[in-house]
Amino acid sequence: MKYLIFFASLSIANAAVISMSLFGGNYGDPHYTTLDGNSYTFNGYGEYTYLAISDERVKQRSANFNPNQSYKFMSQIRTIPLQNTTTSASKVTVTSGFAARSNVADAQPISVTVSRHKSLVICRGNEILKFISASSNSNNVTLVFHDVIIEKNLTNEITTLSWPIGVIIQITPVKITKPILGIVLNVIVSLSKIYKGQTYGLMGNYDDNATNDLQNSKGEFIKPSDTVEHIHKRFGITWSIDPLKSLFYYEAGTESATFYHEQNQIFQPMFNDPRPIRRQLDTAIFDACHISTNASGNLSSWSVAQRMCYYDISVTNDFQFGQSSLAAGEELRQKQQHSASNRFEPIIYMMAIILGRLFI
Ligand SMILES: *[C@@H]1O[C@H](CO)[C@@H](O)[C@H](O)[C@H]1NC(C)=O
Ligand SMILES: *[C@@H]1O[C@H](CO)[C@@H](O)[C@H](O)[C@H]1NC(C)=O
Ligand SMILES: *[C@@H]1O[C@H](CO)[C@@H](O)[C@H](O)[C@H]1NC(C)=O
Ligand SMILES: *[C@@H]1O[C@H](CO)[C@@H](O)[C@H](O)[C@H]1NC(C)=O
Ligand SMILES: *[C@@H]1O[C@H](CO)[C@@H](O)[C@H](O)[C@H]1NC(C)=O
Ligand SMILES: *[C@@H]1O[C@H](CO)[C@@H](O)[C@H](O)[C@H]1NC(C)=O
Ligand SMILES: CC(=O)N[C@H]1CO[C@H](CO)[C@@H](O)[C@@H]1O
C-alpha cells in the first residue's frame, strides 16, 4: 500500500480552500447549479463530462471540446433512470456515479459509484478502497495520496475528495424510497477562482457571467431559459464522454462505458415541468418544501431549492427525497452567497503548497 491512513483533521485546510472558491453542484432528479450560479435540470442516461479544467485559459471559447487533450482536471458523472426503462413509464433519473483525476504525475482516477447492492464503491485506479476506522470512537477516515485526499464519514458516508490543485468535491449519498429503493448521489463542487475561463462540461463555462453558462461540447451557447427538452438535446447529451476516456470503475459483469454511451443516444426522458395544480397533495408538498401558502401560486417567488423540492416530490412522490433536495439546494445557495463576498484569492496557492509538502 502506497498510502497512509491517518485521522488528523483536514478541516482547516478544507475551510481555507473552500473560502477562496466558488461552488456548483447537482442533486435530486438531477438539478444542476453551474459555477456561475445558473440552474437547470437534465435527465440524461449516460456518463458525462461534469467539470473539465483546461491547462490554458480558453481565449476563444467557440473551440470544440477535445477529449484527447490533456486537462489539468477531468471529472465525469453517471446518471441513470431509477427504474427499468423498458418496463416503466416513470423516468426519474438520478446520479449514480462520479469519477475524476488530476493530471499531476502518477495521478490515478478516483471513482465513486453505487453498486448493484446499493452500497458505495470507492476506487483508486483498479483498487477498491477500504475505509476502516482505527478507533471505535472515530467515525471519519482519511486516505492521503500524493494527488488527492479522500475523507469519508463512516456514519453518513459523506465522502470528500480534495485535489490540492484547488478542487474539492463533496459526495453525499441520499436514500430514495419511491418509486423504488435506491441510493442517489448529491455532488457539491468547490473550485478555486484561479480557473476562471478554463472550465468545460455540465458545471458550465465559469467566467462570472451566468448568461453564457450552458456551452455545449461543440462550443455553442444554449440559453438557460430554453425549454428542458432543448437543454437536454442541445446541451446535456453533447457532454456524453468518449468511452475510451472513461474514468469509472466498472463492476465485473455490468455495463461498460460503451453501454452508457449508447443509452445516452437512445434514452427519451419525460420532459417534466411540474406546475402546481389545485389538489390535496400539493398542500403537503408545499409544506414539505417550505413554500408558504400565499407564495404557492407564484412560481417566481420560489427559491431554486423550493422548485427542485417540488419537482422531485411531484415526480417521485418521495417526500424525504424532495426534502433532501431542498436541503442540498439551500446549502449550495448559502455557499455561493458566502463565496461571492470573499475576495482573498491567492491563499489557494499557499494551501496547495502546504498540502503538497505535508503529504507528498
Ligand atoms: C481522439 O482520438 C481518437 C483516437 O486517436 C480519434 O478517433 C478521435 O477522432 C479523436 N477525437 C477528437 C475530437 O479529436
Ligand atoms: C428490464 O426489463 C426487461 C423486460 O422485463 C428485462 O428483460 C431486462 O433485463 C430488465 N433490465 C434490467 C436492467 O433490469
Ligand atoms: C459524521 O456524520 C455524523 C452523522 O451525520 C455526524 O454526527 C458527525 O459529526 C460526522 N463526523 C464528522 C467528522 O464530520
Ligand atoms: C455575458 O455573456 C453574454 C452572452 O455571451 C454577453 O452577451 C454579455 O456581454 C456578457 N456580459 C459580460 C458582462 O461580459
Ligand atoms: C407570504 O407571507 C409571509 C408571511 O405572512 C411573508 O413573509 C412573505 O413575504 C409572503 N410571500 C409572498 C410571496 O407574498
Ligand atoms: C411573484 O413573486 C415575485 C418575486 O417574489 C414578485 O416580484 C411578484 O410581484 C409576484 N407576483 C404576484 C402576482 O404576486
Ligand atoms: C475532519 C474531522 O472531523 N476529523 C476528525 C476525525 O476523527 C478524529 C478522531 O475522532 C478527530 O480527531 C478529527 O478531528
Side-chain angles (χ1 to χ4, degrees), residues 13-309:
N14 279 355
V17 174
I18 283 172
S19 69
M20 299 315 128
S21 308
L22 71 164
F23 293 87
N26 71 300
Y27 53 92
D29 184 2
H31 310 301
Y32 296 81
T33 296
T34 64
L35 294 158
D36 279 329
N38 239 309
S39 295
Y40 66 94
T41 296
F42 167 50
N43 284 291
Y45 183 2
E47 294 171 336
Y48 304 96
T49 301
Y50 188 64
L51 165 66
I53 304 174
S54 69
D55 271 328
E56 302 284 318
R57 252 171 121 61
V58 188
K59 292 194 188 70
Q60 182 47 270
R61 289 290 318 190
S62 62
N64 286 3
F65 172 75
N66 181 352
N68 294 340
Q69 209 175 299
S70 158
Y71 288 85
K72 201 176 182 79
F73 180 79
M74 174 61 76
S75 64
Q76 303 170 343
I77 200 161
R78 177 188 297 163
T79 59
I80 58 167
L82 209 51
Q83 282 168 303
N84 189 328
T85 54
T86 57
T87 57
S88 166
S90 165
K91 292 178 180 175
V92 177
T93 69
V94 296
T95 303
S96 70
F98 174 89
R101 71 178 291 169
S102 70
N103 72 347
V104 303
D106 299 324
Q108 290 282 333
I110 302 295
S111 161
V112 180
T113 51
V114 178
S115 76
R116 271 171 296 175
H117 307 295
K118 315 237 180 302
S119 63
L120 217 53
V121 179
I122 305 178
C123 294
R124 180 169 189 269
N126 289 322
E127 182 184 17
I128 297 180
L129 301 177
K130 298 251 183 283
F131 293 80
I132 299 160
S133 177
S135 102
S136 57
N137 57 13
S138 168
N139 59 3
N140 60 317
V141 175
T142 303
L143 304 182
V144 178
F145 304 96
H146 77 284
D147 55 328
V148 63
I149 296 158
I150 309 175
E151 206 176 326
K152 184 175 179 185
N153 181 327
L154 302 180
T155 312
N156 56 21
E157 294 209 89
I158 293 180
T159 302
T160 307
L161 311 170
S162 308
W163 284 269
I165 57 166
V167 187
I168 298 175
I169 304 282
Q170 180 187 297
I171 299 171
T172 304
V174 174
K175 277 202 185 71
I176 183 167
T177 55
K178 291 174 189 165
I180 59 159
L181 214 60
I183 303 287
V184 175
L185 305 181
N186 289 345
V187 181
I188 291 184
V189 180
S190 164
L191 177 72
S192 166
K193 291 176 183 171
I194 58 174
Y195 296 123
K196 184 169 167 177
Q198 291 174 229
T199 74
Y200 290 93
L202 294 180
M203 278 294 100
N205 165 27
Y206 158 50
D207 63 352
D208 284 335
N209 183 353
T211 57
N212 62 6
D213 271 11
L214 304 192
Q215 185 173 30
N216 71 18
S217 69
K218 295 179 183 67
E220 298 159 352
F221 294 103
I222 309 304
K223 284 203 203 80
S225 57
D226 272 333
T227 61
V228 177
E229 182 171 359
H230 195 78
I231 289 174
H232 180 95
K233 291 180 174 161
R234 300 288 306 282
F235 173 72
I237 65 170
T238 74
W239 286 110
S240 177
I241 65 171
D242 174 347
L244 295 173
K245 303 286 175 186
S246 172
L247 301 176
F248 284 100
Y249 166 82
Y250 297 90
E251 271 185 279
T254 61
E255 300 89 352
S256 63
T258 308
F259 169 83
Y260 287 107
H261 194 64
E262 287 165 2
Q263 295 309 310
N264 175 60
Q265 305 296 325
I266 303 165
F267 182 64
Q268 284 294 325
M270 292 194 299
F271 296 110
N272 294 300
D273 191 7
R275 300 264 155 181
I277 47 169
R278 299 278 153 215
R279 58 192 164 105
Q280 207 53 44
L281 182 64
D282 269 351
T283 316
I285 304 181
F286 293 145
D287 275 354
C289 299
H290 302 167
I291 298 166
S292 66
T293 319
N294 58 348
S296 62
N298 181 356
L299 254 71
S300 58
S301 72
W302 300 8
S303 70
V304 172
Q306 286 173 330
R307 271 189 274 141
M308 299 318 164
C309 174

Side-chain angles (χ1 to χ4, degrees), residues 286-354:
F286 293 145
D287 275 354
C289 299
H290 302 167
I291 298 166
S292 66
T293 319
N294 58 348
S296 62
N298 181 356
L299 254 71
S300 58
S301 72
W302 300 8
S303 70
V304 172
Q306 286 173 330
R307 271 189 274 141
M308 299 318 164
C309 174
Y310 182 87
Y311 181 112
D312 285 355
I313 298 178
S314 301
V315 299
T316 63
N317 202 26
D318 183 334
F319 279 68
Q320 268 187 338
F321 179 59
Q323 287 190 305
S324 74
S325 290
L326 180 69
E330 204 36 48
E331 183 181 353
L332 204 50
R333 188 189 60 83
Q334 279 170 12
K335 287 188 158 155
Q336 286 187 318
Q337 273 181 350
H338 178 78
S339 104
S341 61
N342 209 305
R343 290 168 188 283
F344 306 101
E345 189 61 45
I347 295 175
I348 182 77
Y349 289 114
M350 287 169 53
M351 286 318 305
I353 293 162
I354 293 166

